[in-house]
Amino acid sequence: MTTHAATRPLISLVVPVFNEEANIGPFYQAVVAATQKLEPAYRFEFVFTDNHSADGTFGLLKDLTEKDSRVHAYRFSRNFGFQRSIMTGYARARGDAAIQLDVDLQDPPELIARFLDEWRGGADVVYGVRVKRQESWIVNMQRVVFYRLLDWLSEDNIPVDAGDFRLISRRVIDLLKSFEDTRPYLRGTIATLGFKQVAVPYTRNARERGESKFPFSKLFSLALDGILNHSTVPLRLSTYFGLTVSALTLISIVGYTVAKVLLGSQWPAGFATLAALTLASISINAMLLGIIGEYLGRMYRQLKKQPLTIIEETAGVEN
């Protein structure tokens, strides 16, 4: 933790946004209200990363930069995804610590004080654990299953029910900046870094304005990134599965041979059986190749060394 007796620590509030014009104003007001009481001990900056919003989001952010010099906004040249947006925010953060917040206020800004207390107590990572969510039971069940599946499959210990609402210290930020991951899964990566990590339980609020930017397809993609980034178990399972099928096939061949030679069994021409077995074999091979292909695809993108994000425009940023 970087502190100086003569200055207050700078805390960076990292806020990824995409088509959130209805939430910019309420979010800013709520966070300012929550941090005003902390300003005798801390300084704050806002780091907004805009994933190429199609509405008036960036215009509102530009207005904020003119009213408040603490606000810095970065607009990407296209939508690079939620995790890359957070990572870019961390990379642009100048603070002694950074706190990531969702602009929809589902993560209560009032917890900033608790996070900072834990940081002052020596924690390098303070993360929120959602003990209750104001969402449909179907969505809640999907998340419960995913977090536990990820923890079970991963070789690393990844906290369950923990999202991206967290504080990380400057040395964690600097470590993340040294990574070259084209498909980051930050909640998993940060969990594997070690250091002192503290969990803070909380109830996640319901979204009041706008629509969620995470339909099932994007949640599934995020889940896939989490599993493939932190586990080789799918590859190992595909190996075991292939060996099991091979063993069953060998046993079947031996059984048919014994029945034919020793027992003189006459087998009818089984075109349907052969067709079913052929199709099953093709399906199994396709599934196994798909698993391998997912890993190879990530290796290919990693080797291309493309930039994490491309910034098209900035506001409130010193050159």
Side-chain angles (χ1 to χ4, degrees):
M1 178 171 61
T2 304
T3 57
H4 305 281
T7 61
R8 295 168 294 163
L10 176 63
I11 308 301
S12 300
L13 304 175
V14 174
V15 191
V17 296
F18 177 64
N19 291 343
E20 293 284 4
E21 62 180 355
N23 283 304
I24 297 297
F27 170 82
Y28 174 76
Q29 295 170 6
V31 174
V32 167
T35 56
Q36 274 182 341
K37 64 184 74 172
L38 302 172
E39 288 184 354
Y42 302 96
R43 294 174 295 136
F44 294 92
E45 70 168 359
F46 294 81
V47 182
F48 288 93
T49 51
D50 179 14
N51 242 322
H52 201 74
S53 296
D55 61 4
T57 295
F58 193 71
L60 293 174
L61 293 177
K62 291 175 71 173
D63 292 341
L64 282 181
T65 64
E66 295 174 0
K67 299 175 183 177
D68 189 342
S69 61
R70 302 175 301 171
V71 178
H72 314 296
Y74 301 86
R75 175 176 169 83
F76 300 156
S77 61
R78 64 174 177 82
N79 191 331
F80 285 90
F82 184 63
Q83 293 292 297
R84 291 187 182 189
S85 185
I86 298 174
M87 186 62 221
T88 300
Y90 285 151
R92 299 285 175 170
R94 301 175 301 169
D96 300 283
I99 301 176
Q100 194 271 312
L101 289 156
D102 285 350
V103 74
D104 56 16
L105 292 176
Q106 289 187 277
D107 299 323
E110 294 76 19
L111 276 181
I112 291 175
R114 172 73 183 279
F115 280 19
L116 291 173
D117 287 343
E118 296 290 353
W119 175 59
R120 286 286 201 179
D124 280 284
V125 178
V126 186
Y127 58 91
V129 175
R130 304 154 176 173
V131 295
K132 186 177 180 181
R133 308 173 63 112
Q134 306 298 324
E135 294 179 322
S136 69
W137 70 269
I138 296 178
V139 174
N140 282 332
M141 185 57 63
Q142 290 171 349
R143 295 181 189 276
V144 166
V145 171
F146 160 65
Y147 285 128
R148 282 148 186 80
L149 178 64
L150 175 60
D151 185 51
W152 178 69
L153 289 175
S154 177
E155 287 90 357
D156 306 305
N157 183 23
I158 299 178
V160 297
D161 300 323
D164 292 299
F165 181 34
R166 70 174 78 83
L167 175 149
I168 58 175
S169 67
R170 168 46 60 181
R171 65 173 170 177
V172 173
I173 295 172
D174 291 338
L175 274 173
L176 289 177
K177 289 167 66 176
S178 69
F179 285 17
E180 296 182 357
D181 193 347
T182 60
R183 295 292 293 269
Y185 182 73
L186 290 170
R187 63 190 73 173
T189 300
I190 292 172
T192 64
L193 294 180
F195 304 120
K196 182 179 179 181
Q197 304 199 14
V198 176
V200 175
Y202 75 104
T203 297
R204 198 161 198 247
N205 301 324
R207 172 185 273 266
E208 295 183 2
R209 291 165 293 272
E211 298 179 353
S212 173
K213 306 306 183 295
F214 276 90
F216 178 77
S217 59
K218 288 190 176 181
L219 289 174
F220 180 80
S221 178
L222 183 64
L224 194 62
D225 283 342
I227 292 172
L228 296 183
N229 277 18
H230 296 279
S231 178
T232 57
V233 171
L235 287 174
R236 195 171 301 121
L237 290 177
S238 67
T239 300
Y240 294 156
F241 186 70
L243 290 173
T244 301
V245 172
S246 298
L248 291 175
T249 302
L250 180 61
I251 292 171
S252 299
I253 291 173
V254 172
Y256 278 120
T257 302
V258 170
K260 179 71 174 177
V261 174
L262 299 182
L263 303 178
S265 301
Q266 298 296 321
W267 305 105
F271 174 77
T273 302
L274 290 175
L277 290 174
T278 301
L279 291 174
S281 176
I282 293 173
S283 299
I284 292 170
N285 287 329
M287 182 188 70
L288 301 182
L289 288 173
I291 294 174
I292 296 171
E294 287 288 342
Y295 283 94
L296 289 177
R298 279 160 172 74
M299 292 171 60
Y300 169 72
R301 284 190 290 269
Q302 191 70 26
L303 291 173
K304 289 175 70 176
K305 299 289 185 181
Q306 292 182 330
L308 187 68
T309 55
I310 299 172
I311 296 174
E312 177 183 71
E313 185 178 356
T314 64
V317 179
E318 297 179 0
N319 295 326

